């Protein structure tokens, strides 16, 4: 397990943990299950499939031309769409190319037509130069991190990708974090198999058609300031951000834990902080992390424990030199226990203000109701994550209610 850096950008969104837990494995569903056949979604798909003419050389395999000739002989004229080898080759190309969208390598321009029709809810371009300019501006203003989850053929000359993009607006002093997840419908020119359209659909809004005031409002909402201490926190990757919650994939982490009284209570806090401040078998002081968790493990939210996350360079085992991990000292009181929390898929609702008990219980109720409405399977119980010192101004506080999910389908 690698040591986590203190960079806010790197510690919030990290590569996904290994898919070793059957209960949190991801799978793909048919395209129709995620995009209802409303009129505007049909229009977007038709727009993505439109093939404006392009004059560049096709980034195709050597087998493409013979295949095209065979189609001409049998009278099909290529109307059946991509051949299986071409579809797989183009999917593999996107898997390799798109992770470079915002780094110094950049995407391979030769794979795109001179005319590329780009649309997202608040941006539009109709040339390859405009398309690349948009990427450069995002890179300059927002320092984006892009994570590609899946690529799949979804139409005769259409590929669809699912992704997460995390950005920081560098022009504002507090550099707010903006998170977008969604789908990109990538259209191909049938004549040369170059990408000639790119339409983005965001998970967080309903109206994805340009120009979407709902999309603009979604951007503005994320410019608010949450005070997050620049110290170590559990690693997670945001898989999906909706209008109501995020779905995250957490890596495993270690905690020191004591019995609590209620979700917003402080009973047991002195026990867990005492352990990290040196009240342990070797009198070792352990660096503070964030957040402080309180977990209710039962359906009535009454069986509560309070938890502090331990640094990622620590381990429960006594012999750890092989992995360069440092063994944790044993507790010197039975009121405190150490344990490993397995990674998994968690739904999260973020909010500010002082986390009073009635507020937290309502947030948990709202989140659970929305998850059930969306067809997800929340587990019983929840966690409250408190990121800030109690002396923090209430409007700056970052709090979260987390509910584990039994299953989650990352749809494409």
């Amino acid at each position: 397990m690698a040591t986590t850096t203190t960079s806010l950008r790197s510690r919030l969104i990290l590569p996904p943990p290994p898919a070793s837990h059957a209960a949190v494995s991801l799978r793909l569903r048919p395209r129709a299950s995620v995009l209802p056949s409303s009129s505007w979604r049909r229009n977007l798909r038709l727009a993505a499939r439109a093939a404006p003419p392009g004059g560049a050389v096709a980034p195709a395999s050597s087998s493409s031309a013979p295949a095209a000739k065979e189609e001409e002989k049998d009278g099909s004229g290529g109307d059946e769409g991509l051949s299986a080898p071409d579809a797989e080759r183009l999917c593999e190309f996107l898997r390799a190319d798109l992770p470079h969208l915002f780094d110094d390598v950049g995407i391979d321009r030769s794979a795109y037509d001179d005319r590329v029709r780009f649309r997202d809810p608040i941006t539009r371009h109709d040339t390859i130069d405009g398309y690349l300019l948009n990427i450069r501006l995002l890179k300059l203003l927002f320092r984006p991190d892009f994570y590609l989850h899946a690529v799949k053929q979804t139409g005769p000359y259409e590929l669809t990708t699912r992704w997460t993009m995390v950005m920081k607006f560098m022009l504002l002093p507090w550099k707010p974090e903006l998170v977008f997840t969604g789908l990109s419908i990538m259209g191909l020119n049938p004549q040369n198999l170059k990408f000639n359209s790119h339409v983005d659909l965001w998970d967080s809004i309903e109206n994805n058609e340009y120009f979407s005031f709902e999309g603009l409002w979604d951007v503005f909402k994320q410019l608010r300031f949450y005070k997050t201490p620049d110290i170590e926190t559990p690693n997670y990757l945001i898989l999906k951000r909706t209008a109501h919650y995020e779905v995250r994939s957490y890596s495993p982490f270690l905690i020191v834990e004591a019995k609590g009284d209620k979700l917003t209570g402080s009973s047991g806090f002195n026990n867990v902080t005492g352990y990290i401040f040196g009240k342990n078998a070797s009198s070792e002081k352990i660096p503070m992390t964030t957040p402080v968790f309180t977990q209710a493990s039962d359906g009535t939210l009454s069986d509560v424990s309070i938890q502090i996350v331990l640094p990622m360079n620590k381990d429960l085992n006594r012999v750890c030199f092989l992995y360069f991990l440092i063994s944790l000292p044993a507790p010197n009181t039975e009121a405190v226990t150490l344990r490993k929390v397995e990674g998994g898929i968690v739904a999260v609702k973020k909010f500010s203000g002082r986390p009073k008990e009635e507020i937290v219980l309502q947030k948990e109720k709202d989140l659970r109701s929305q998850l059930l409405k969306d067809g997800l399977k929340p587990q019983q119980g929840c966690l409250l994550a408190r990121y800030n010192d109690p002396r923090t101004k209430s409007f700056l506080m970052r709090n979260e209610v987390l509910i584990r999910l039994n299953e989650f389908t990352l749809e494409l």
Side-chain angles (χ1 to χ4, degrees):
M1 192 178 296
T3 303
T4 306
T5 69
T6 57
S7 164
L8 183 64
R9 184 161 159 239
S10 63
R11 66 190 172 87
L12 287 180
I13 301 293
L14 293 162
S20 58
H21 310 286
V24 296
S25 61
L26 306 182
R27 66 183 188 273
L28 300 180
R29 281 185 178 172
R31 176 85 175 124
S33 65
V34 66
L35 292 180
S37 57
S38 63
S39 60
W40 68 266
R41 285 198 186 271
R42 284 199 302 270
N43 291 339
L44 284 174
R45 288 183 60 82
L46 289 172
R49 290 176 179 175
V57 178
S61 63
S62 59
S63 62
S64 297
K69 290 180 180 179
E70 288 300 320
E71 288 171 347
E72 290 176 3
K73 288 180 181 179
D74 64 18
S76 66
D79 291 336
E80 294 180 359
L82 294 171
S83 67
D86 277 337
E88 181 56 31
R89 176 180 55 78
L90 289 163
C91 285
E92 285 300 321
F93 168 79
L94 290 178
R95 292 185 188 106
D97 192 60
L98 288 180
H100 297 296
L101 195 59
F102 299 109
D103 66 16
D104 292 336
V105 176
I107 60 172
D108 184 353
R109 176 172 177 154
S110 68
Y112 293 80
D113 250 348
D114 291 336
R115 290 187 61 194
V116 177
R117 184 182 186 278
F118 174 78
R119 298 287 186 274
D120 72 17
I122 59 174
T123 312
R124 62 184 295 176
H125 294 284
D126 291 300
T127 66
I128 182 62
D129 291 332
Y131 183 65
L132 295 175
L133 174 63
N134 184 62
I135 293 173
R136 288 196 296 271
L137 287 175
L138 288 173
K139 184 178 178 181
L140 176 66
L141 299 177
F142 292 97
R143 302 289 196 274
D145 286 324
F146 181 83
Y147 300 90
L148 181 65
H149 302 304
V151 184
K152 183 180 180 182
Q153 183 181 5
T154 50
Y157 291 98
E158 174 189 285
L159 304 179
T160 298
T161 67
R162 173 161 279 284
W163 44 265
T164 294
M165 186 163 67
V166 183
M167 309 188 295
K168 288 192 178 300
F169 192 21
M170 307 306 292
L171 297 183
L172 293 177
W174 61 94
K175 296 178 174 57
E177 182 179 80
L178 291 79
V179 179
F180 298 93
T181 66
L183 304 172
S184 292
I185 304 171
M186 310 285 289
L188 289 151
N189 186 336
Q191 297 176 356
N192 57 23
L193 298 191
K194 285 179 176 285
F195 294 103
N196 64 358
S197 65
H198 177 154
V199 176
D200 281 351
L201 307 177
W202 298 353
D203 293 325
S204 53
I205 62 176
E206 288 295 323
N207 179 19
N208 273 280
E209 192 170 7
Y210 179 87
F211 181 84
S212 171
F213 286 100
E214 183 187 5
L216 184 62
W217 177 240
D218 187 55
V219 173
F220 278 120
K221 284 191 301 183
Q222 297 188 72
L223 296 180
R224 65 150 300 153
F225 179 64
Y226 284 104
K227 186 175 182 179
T228 304
D230 194 14
I231 55 179
E232 193 170 335
T233 192
N235 297 341
Y236 64 80
L237 173 68
I238 298 175
L239 299 177
K240 189 173 185 178
R241 174 182 163 266
T242 75
H244 305 286
Y245 56 86
E246 292 176 357
V247 177
R248 301 175 184 168
S249 176
Y250 273 85
S251 298
F253 55 93
L254 303 176
I255 59 169
V256 55
E257 183 176 39
K259 181 69 176 176
D261 54 354
K262 58 181 181 178
L263 278 171
T264 58
S266 59
S267 176
F269 184 72
N270 289 339
N271 290 328
V272 291
T273 55
Y275 173 83
I276 66 172
F277 292 153
K279 293 181 180 180
N280 51 61
S282 60
S283 300
E284 177 186 351
K285 292 185 178 180
I286 299 170
M288 187 66 181
T289 63
T290 192
V292 173
F293 285 116
T294 43
Q295 178 176 6
S297 55
D298 63 328
T300 60
L301 307 183
S302 58
D303 184 10
V304 176
S305 64
I306 190 165
Q307 308 162 354
I308 289 180
V309 178
L310 297 168
M312 292 296 155
N313 67 337
K314 299 289 187 179
D315 193 85
L316 295 177
N317 298 323
R318 288 288 167 261
V319 182
C320 305
F321 61 90
L322 184 62
Y323 299 99
F324 302 101
L325 301 178
I326 302 171
S327 183
L328 286 164
N332 57 10
T333 171
E334 292 183 357
V336 170
T337 58
L338 307 179
R339 70 180 176 92
K340 180 179 180 180
V341 177
E342 296 298 335
I345 306 297
V346 180
V348 181
K349 188 175 186 67
K350 186 186 297 186
F351 63 100
S352 61
R354 304 222 171 264
K356 298 179 180 179
E357 190 76 9
E358 62 272 17
I359 294 175
V360 173
L361 293 177
Q362 186 61 49
K363 297 290 184 184
E364 188 275 341
K365 181 179 178 182
D366 293 344
L367 176 56
R368 187 174 297 277
S369 175
Q370 188 64 49
L371 295 173
L372 292 170
K373 180 180 178 181
D374 291 346
L376 301 178
K377 298 179 180 180
Q379 295 182 11
Q380 69 174 11
C382 72
L383 291 97
L384 170 66
R386 289 174 281 185
Y387 282 82
N388 308 106
D389 185 289
R391 294 168 293 184
T392 304
K393 298 288 186 182
S394 62
F395 66 91
L396 299 177
M397 285 184 166
R398 176 184 174 184
N399 309 299
E400 295 172 347
V401 169
L402 303 88
I403 299 178
R404 282 184 172 266
L405 300 178
N406 283 321
E407 295 179 7
F408 178 67
T409 298
L410 193 55
E411 297 170 321
L412 183 62

